[in-house]
């Protein structure tokens, strides 16, 4: 599974939510499911990007 960060807004400002999914389509579906339970209206989605974890090198 990958982590995706999705930018959304119900009104202004824009917020981010991170969801775990196999691809962008599934990420949008999960975000929509989570957010429709907590918001009055369906949010507008602005962007979806995979979160890349940076591996730090061992510093000695």
């Amino acid at each position: 599974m990958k982590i995706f960060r999705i930018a959304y807004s119900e009104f202004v400002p824009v917020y981010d939510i991170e969801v775990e999914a196999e691809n962008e389509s599934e990420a949008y579906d999960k975000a929509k499911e989570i957010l429709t339970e907590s918001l009055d209206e369906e949010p507008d989605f602005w962007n979806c990007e995979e979160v890349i974890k940076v591996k730090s090198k061992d510093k000695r």
Side-chain angles (χ1 to χ4, degrees):
M1 289 270 192
K2 301 174 186 175
I3 303 294
F4 290 91
R5 180 177 298 124
I6 300 176
Y8 72 94
S9 67
E10 183 180 19
F11 302 107
V12 176
V14 175
Y15 301 100
D16 290 332
I17 183 173
E18 291 185 359
V19 295
E20 188 174 6
E22 292 289 335
N23 54 49
E24 283 188 23
S25 178
E26 185 180 322
Y28 278 118
D29 291 343
K30 284 188 174 186
K32 182 177 178 180
E33 180 181 322
I34 292 167
L35 294 171
T36 53
E37 292 176 3
S38 61
L39 301 175
D40 294 334
E41 296 181 10
E42 185 175 316
D44 293 323
F45 293 107
W46 295 86
N47 187 31
C48 180
E49 61 185 21
E50 184 178 348
V51 175
I52 307 294
K53 293 185 179 180
V54 178
K55 295 180 181 178
S56 61
K57 294 184 178 182
D58 187 23
K59 296 180 181 179
R60 295 179 189 209

